[in-house]
Amino acid sequence: MANCPNCDRKLRFTDWKPNCPGCGVNLMFFGFEERFYEDAKRSELSMGSMRVGSKRSKAGLAGSFWAKARLIVMALPIASFLLPWGTLSARLPFGAQSWEAGIMGFMGLFMDNPDGLPFLMSMSNGEWSALFQRGVLLFGAAALAVVMSVLVLLVSFMSFISLKRMSVIATALSGLGALACVGGFAAGILVQNASAALANPNFTGALGYGALLGLAAFACTLTANLMLAVKGVDVEFAEGDVERREIWQKVKKGEIQLADLPYPVVDTAETREREALIEKELGGETA
């Protein structure tokens, strides 16, 4: 059985009354005031911390011109892949294959034609090898740019973790995506030149302009994230909330005990106004 929280008397099954048989303290309400104030302090600190986090998250998404601009352009790199970077085709007696460097082409390659990629790699030998080797470079650059575009979108959405850090990461990813677009466009030119030099109607390659569109899209995300990383976003917090968040972090780490804190924990104009109103109401009842 439990012990009395006041006198530490061991309670028995027959001690069914709400008062301790030894000291007479009410077992149900013993320490009620202390627990009440601890809960009130915990609520004040946790709610203040939550408000700070919520305002920072909202500010990171749409708290300034550049935050709103990033929200608009962060999906543009993925959308740009709807325009293909280039195409390859092989017309052989036993079958024909074609490859398109773009989102639709990649989806078809992995979902509808799983043998297409090994077949493309096998075309790297023979008199047409120069064409398909450059085609592999084109597809590799496009695949890298797709990965960067997805990461840019995800990191932009995760700006609530740390606006500056996520903006710096998104800027770097946008830069890598832009470089992949430049490399992909150069590879597309090589594919087109190799196709013209081969002059074989059965093995052809063509240049698309999706890489240039992707370059423009990555330039937009790079600019928006770079400006956010440099300028940041001004966030206005309610009086005392930042201090409450700092204290709450220390409470959770065990550096500060709730019992050692006053109530209200942070004295603000709002808390003083509330206390004055309570005193006025209590004074009116007493009178």
Side-chain angles (χ1 to χ4, degrees):
M1 292 296 294
N3 294 348
C4 173
N6 185 46
C7 65
D8 204 34
R9 175 191 177 97
K10 188 174 183 62
L11 302 175
R12 299 168 297 179
F13 283 105
T14 55
D15 297 328
W16 53 270
K17 294 183 178 181
N19 297 90
C20 174
C23 63
V25 71
N26 190 304
L27 299 173
M28 295 181 62
F29 293 100
F30 180 81
F32 173 79
E33 185 176 357
E34 289 79 4
R35 294 195 301 273
F36 173 81
Y37 277 109
E38 282 194 4
D39 289 341
K41 296 171 190 176
R42 184 180 292 106
S43 176
E44 176 190 347
L45 295 176
S46 61
M47 291 299 292
S49 178
M50 185 185 70
R51 287 192 294 268
V52 170
S54 176
K55 286 192 174 184
R56 283 179 177 172
S57 299
K58 292 178 181 179
L61 289 175
S64 69
F65 170 80
W66 289 110
K68 293 176 183 177
R70 181 177 66 177
L71 194 63
I72 295 172
V73 304
M74 63 184 181
L76 289 182
I78 293 181
S80 70
F81 285 95
L82 294 174
L83 185 66
W85 288 26
T87 57
L88 287 172
S89 62
R91 300 178 183 86
L92 300 175
F94 51 83
Q97 290 277 359
S98 62
W99 301 268
E100 182 181 275
I103 281 187
M104 303 306 295
F106 287 146
M107 291 176 62
L109 189 64
F110 291 102
M111 296 175 62
D112 301 330
N113 187 17
D115 297 328
L117 186 59
F119 186 72
L120 174 62
M121 301 300 292
S122 68
M123 298 298 292
S124 299
N125 295 318
E127 59 179 324
W128 51 80
S129 61
L131 170 63
F132 285 92
Q133 286 173 0
R134 287 159 176 77
V136 170
L137 293 177
L138 170 63
F139 276 77
L144 177 60
V146 168
V147 173
M148 293 300 106
S149 66
V150 173
L151 291 177
V152 166
L153 182 63
L154 292 177
V155 171
S156 298
F157 268 124
M158 295 170 61
S159 61
F160 64 89
I161 297 176
S162 173
L163 177 63
K164 185 176 181 61
R165 186 182 301 118
M166 293 298 104
S167 298
V168 170
I169 294 174
T171 300
L173 293 173
S174 298
L176 291 175
L179 290 176
C181 290
V182 172
F185 187 72
I189 294 175
L190 294 177
V191 166
Q192 184 171 261
N193 293 340
S195 178
L198 184 60
N200 188 329
N202 294 322
F203 304 100
T204 59
L207 171 66
Y209 293 93
L212 294 181
L213 184 61
L215 177 61
F218 278 117
C220 291
T221 59
L222 187 150
T223 301
N225 282 286
L226 180 60
M227 296 305 295
L228 273 176
V230 173
K231 293 188 174 183
V233 176
D234 294 328
V235 188
E236 293 184 3
F237 301 108
E239 182 185 4
D241 275 353
V242 174
E243 187 177 353
R244 290 186 181 104
R245 182 180 178 88
E246 294 173 353
I247 296 174
W248 181 237
Q249 296 296 328
K250 293 180 180 179
V251 169
K252 291 196 295 184
K253 292 178 182 178
E255 299 176 4
I256 298 178
Q257 300 299 319
L258 285 173
D260 299 330
L261 296 172
Y263 183 78
V265 179
V266 179
D267 190 24
T268 63
E270 181 183 1
T271 60
R272 289 191 294 270
E273 182 180 352
R274 189 186 306 123
E275 289 178 357
L277 180 61
I278 293 173
E279 290 180 3
K280 181 179 178 180
E281 292 180 353
L282 292 177
E285 290 179 2
T286 302

